[in-house]
Each structure stands twice: as structure tokens, then as C-alpha cells.
Amino acid sequence: MIGFYSYTVILTYLSLVFAMVGIHLSVIGIYQWSFICLMMCGICDTFDGMVARSKKNRTEEEKKFGIQIDSLCDLISFGVFPAILGYNLGLSSVGWLAIEILYVLAAVIRLAYFNVTEETRQQQTTEKRKYYQGLPVTTSAFILPFAFALRYVIFGLDYLYGTLMLITGILFVVDFKVPKLKGKGLIALGVLVVVELVQILCFS
């Protein structure tokens, strides 16, 4: 069998599984659990790098494979999945379709740029990455569910979701530095996820 098989890619593949399940749920109208699947994709992707780095004897090919497979899965989980979810929420007009296309295109560009720069960075240093250029696509898993969590507070779910998707997509390709989460940042993210989950599960 081709490919590299080890525990280092389990979370990456699990993220893809959640994305496929979430897409299916959105198609049949179970949006609550579709958004939860999106958040689970984000949780998996947040920690997959830590799991991968825990294996100290990875070959260069394994490292490169990890970079590529991570971005390919991210494209589905945080690019295609959110766009399909938006379409199934009712954002199916020509204007919204254009935004969904631009969102996915921005995710593709962001991920391809990351692959190139990350491979170069790893060749030059063994230090951990301290910041990202542009908004990481993973953040969509925690930003977009706000549309569902706040749908009774702010105007319609579909328009709020579409607006957040447009803003997030633009930030994917805007050149600014985003510090990599660690320590208190991860704790804050954990609190945010819990709040969103409670809002989605208990007020639906």
C-alpha cells in the first residue's frame, strides 16, 4: 500500500471523517450536529500537529507527507465542508454562490501557500512555528458556528453565516501575522468551544 501509516495522522484523518459526516448531516437538514462536526474538525486539527511531532524519528518523507495530507484534509474540512453547509442553509443564490466559491478559493490559496512556506521553514530550522501568515483555515471551525449559536440573537442564520464566511475567507489571504496558540491561548480556545457547544446543544 502506498502512503505512510502511523498514529501521527490519526487526528488528521478523523477530521476528514467528521467533515464527511457533517456534509451528510447538512444535506439532510440536521444543522445542529453538522455544526458540531465542524467544531470537531477544528479540535482534531488543533492537536494533530502536536501528535505528529511526538514521533521523534520521522523521516523527511513522512514529514512532507504529513504537511500535504494535513492540507488536503483541511481543504475538505475547512474549505469545502463550510461552503456546502452554507449552500444547504439556503445560501444558494448567484451572489451567495459566488461568495462560497471565493471562500473555497481563498482556502486553497492559503493552504498551498502554507505548504510552500512550511516546507522551506522546516529545511531551514527545527524551531516550532511561532506565528502564521494570514488567518489559519482551522479558525473557520470556531468562527462559523457562532452563526448557529447566535441565530436567535442576531438576524437570520443564513445571512449571518454567509457574512462570517465572507469575512473569514478574506482573512485567509490577507497578509498579517497570527500568533500560534499555546498555553493560555489554548485554554481560551477551549472555553470558547465549550460555550459554543453549550449554546448549540442547549438552545436549539
Side-chain angles (χ1 to χ4, degrees), residues 35-132:
F35 274 103
I36 289 175
C37 282
L38 179 58
M39 295 180 69
M40 292 305 298
C41 289
I43 292 171
C44 289
D45 193 64
T46 298
F47 296 102
D48 65 355
M50 297 180 190
V51 173
R53 287 189 297 273
S54 70
K55 186 180 180 184
K56 303 302 182 183
N57 60 342
R58 284 190 301 162
T59 65
E60 286 302 313
E61 286 187 331
E62 284 181 305
K63 291 178 181 179
K64 290 179 180 179
F65 179 81
I67 293 172
Q68 297 300 326
I69 206 69
D70 183 63
S71 287
L72 289 170
C73 289
D74 284 356
L75 177 58
I76 303 299
S77 299
F78 311 116
V80 176
F81 175 18
I84 293 176
L85 177 54
Y87 185 88
N88 289 325
L89 285 171
L91 304 178
S92 55
S93 67
V94 174
W96 286 118
L97 180 59
I99 289 175
E100 289 156 0
I101 291 172
L102 288 173
Y103 173 85
V104 176
L105 182 59
V108 170
I109 294 170
R110 170 75 180 78
L111 289 166
Y113 183 78
F114 173 81
N115 281 11
V116 173
T117 57
E118 179 63 13
E119 190 169 324
T120 301
R121 189 191 70 83
Q122 289 190 9
Q123 291 172 353
Q124 296 174 345
T125 180
T126 57
E127 292 183 1
K128 294 181 180 179
R129 177 182 286 274
K130 296 180 180 179
Y131 64 87
Y132 297 102

Side-chain angles (χ1 to χ4, degrees), residues 8 14 23 33 38 42-43 66 68-69 91-92 97 101 107 109 119 140 143-144 164 167 169 175 180 191-192 195 198:
T8 60
L14 190 57
I23 289 172
W33 287 99
L38 179 58
I43 292 171
Q68 297 300 326
I69 206 69
L91 304 178
S92 55
L97 180 59
I101 291 172
I109 294 170
E119 190 169 324
S140 64
I143 294 173
L144 298 180
L164 287 175
I167 295 171
D175 189 7
K180 187 173 182 179
V191 172
L192 173 65
V195 170
V198 170

